[in-house]
Amino acid sequence: MNAPYLTLATAFRTLFGRRAKKIPLDAGSACPNRDGTLSRGGCVFCNAAGSGTGLYHKGFGLRAQWDRLTPPARARGEALVAYLQSFSNTYGPLDRLAGLIGELAALPDVAGICLGTRPDCLDAEKIDMLAGAPVDHVRLEMGLQSARDDTLSRINRGHDAAALARTTRAAAAAGLSVTVHLMAGLPGETMDDFLASVDFINALPVSGVKFHNTLVLAGAPLAALHAAGGYVPMDRADYVAAVCEGLARLRPDIAVERINADPAPGELVAPDWAADKQGLLRDIRDALERGGIRQGCRREPGEAAP
């Protein structure tokens, strides 16, 4: 690994034998933390867009979205991974999920499937069905955000860390790949809390991780807390330090799929520095180089993956 950490591009090249591209698709999925099953407010950091494109509610079905979004990757000869991104795509009855998987597997030249979801939206039947999907690769992206249960309660997550651990183990045992989301700078947390969350996922059979700085987004509950002075975002230097130390402690076989959040145009309230994506990435790269930091360099020799 020449880069200081294992990128998703490198992991996908090993998996597919060529470059691969995740194509973000919107299936119009719901979330138990928004439809009243758990709550209607959602997680404190999430706004109504749910980090998605919104194309489903604009009248574009999955095939139409695929045809619209895949031409650039096709022209580059990349493997195509259908990525259901927004909200909780395994939420709801089994037959709905089966229908979605059938649609995705029928997309032209699809090489793999990735579904964004929550650990409490998967059970044994759904995991077995996903494991039997007629594609070469199935990946689950699950939000954990923090391994501290008091934090999960504070941010209105609606599940505990043990739920993520159970679901990850069950999915991996069925042959599915799992990517976990972690956030630095959550309300009430320190850098040490973020690093403890890295240690938590190191002990699980995860294939990938996404690191996010906590954003205050317009329309999210966190925006009101921030406006009232009840939340101050992590500063830029501390986030860079948290990512660098997190990478140093991260198991070397875990693909690092993201190292900073990427707000949509017009939705960022704070911190201002989060809008400077390329500058932040450059700061992280420079800090890794200055510190001689490589993924897993702080782990004890001989520590094995679970």
Side-chain angles (χ1 to χ4, degrees), residues 192-219:
D192 285 343
D193 293 324
F194 170 72
L195 297 176
S197 296
V198 175
D199 294 339
F200 181 84
I201 69 164
N202 274 336
L204 296 173
V206 303
S207 300
V209 66
K210 285 187 173 181
F211 291 150
H212 294 256
N213 43 305
T214 301
L215 303 179
V216 180
L217 301 178

Side-chain angles (χ1 to χ4, degrees), residues 144-191:
L144 173 61
Q145 321 313 349
S146 171
R148 289 186 59 123
D149 286 343
D150 59 341
T151 299
L152 297 179
S153 177
R154 188 181 305 119
I155 65 175
N156 197 41
R157 185 67 192 163
H159 63 76
D160 59 12
L164 184 285
R166 286 192 303 271
T167 304
T168 296
R169 292 188 182 105
L176 305 176
S177 295
V178 176
T179 294
V180 175
H181 293 208
L182 295 181
M183 297 177 70
L186 288 165
E189 286 213 337
T190 65
M191 189 186 304

Side-chain angles (χ1 to χ4, degrees), residues 16-301:
F16 296 111
R18 54 180 167 145
R19 290 181 61 182
K21 176 69 174 178
K22 289 168 72 176
I23 307 299
L25 303 175
D26 180 0
S29 297
C31 177
N33 214 14
R34 283 191 170 274
D35 70 0
T37 300
L38 294 175
S39 80
R40 294 196 178 277
C43 302
V44 297
F45 52 79
C46 187
N47 63 14
S51 302
T53 64
L55 286 175
Y56 180 87
H57 292 295
K58 296 176 183 177
F60 292 87
L62 294 179
R63 176 60 189 269
Q65 294 176 51
W66 185 256
D67 291 343
R68 177 178 179 173
L69 297 172
T70 54
R74 289 179 183 279
R76 294 189 296 266
E78 295 172 343
L80 304 176
V81 178
Y83 175 30
L84 296 187
Q85 182 178 16
S86 55
F87 295 115
S88 304
N89 291 282
T90 64
Y91 180 47
L94 183 66
D95 58 355
R96 177 187 183 272
L97 180 59
L100 285 179
I101 297 303
E103 282 191 73
L104 295 175
L107 294 171
D109 303 316
V110 66
I113 293 171
C114 180
L115 295 92
T117 191
R118 295 166 50 96
D120 55 351
C121 293
L122 285 158
D123 57 23
E125 284 186 303
K126 289 177 179 177
I127 288 172
D128 287 345
M129 191 271 292
L130 289 166
V135 293
D136 291 335
H137 180 70
V138 179
R139 197 175 200 93
L140 297 171
E141 279 197 21
M142 291 192 289
L144 173 61
Q145 321 313 349
S146 171
R148 289 186 59 123
D149 286 343
D150 59 341
T151 299
L152 297 179
S153 177
R154 188 181 305 119
I155 65 175
N156 197 41
R157 185 67 192 163
H159 63 76
D160 59 12
L164 184 285
R166 286 192 303 271
T167 304
T168 296
R169 292 188 182 105
L176 305 176
S177 295
V178 176
T179 294
V180 175
H181 293 208
L182 295 181
M183 297 177 70
L186 288 165
E189 286 213 337
T190 65
M191 189 186 304
D192 285 343
D193 293 324
F194 170 72
L195 297 176
S197 296
V198 175
D199 294 339
F200 181 84
I201 69 164
N202 274 336
L204 296 173
V206 303
S207 300
V209 66
K210 285 187 173 181
F211 291 150
H212 294 256
N213 43 305
T214 301
L215 303 179
V216 180
L217 301 178
L222 193 57
L225 186 64
H226 174 262
Y231 173 70
V232 177
M234 189 177 236
D235 68 33
R236 181 172 179 144
D238 284 345
Y239 183 70
V240 171
V243 169
C244 290
E245 185 60 27
L247 289 170
R249 294 166 71 148
L250 185 68
R251 221 173 59 224
D253 63 292
I254 298 175
V256 181
E257 302 190 22
R258 183 182 287 274
I259 57 174
N260 67 319
D262 194 8
E267 71 175 4
L268 181 66
V269 174
D272 292 342
W273 56 262
D276 181 21
K277 178 180 179 179
Q278 293 307 315
L280 182 58
L281 291 173
R282 185 169 55 250
D283 286 354
I284 293 170
R285 288 194 298 267
D286 290 348
L288 291 171
E289 184 175 355
R290 286 194 309 271
I293 296 170
R294 299 182 68 82
Q295 183 176 344
C297 67
R298 303 263 200 269
R299 287 176 59 79
E300 293 295 326

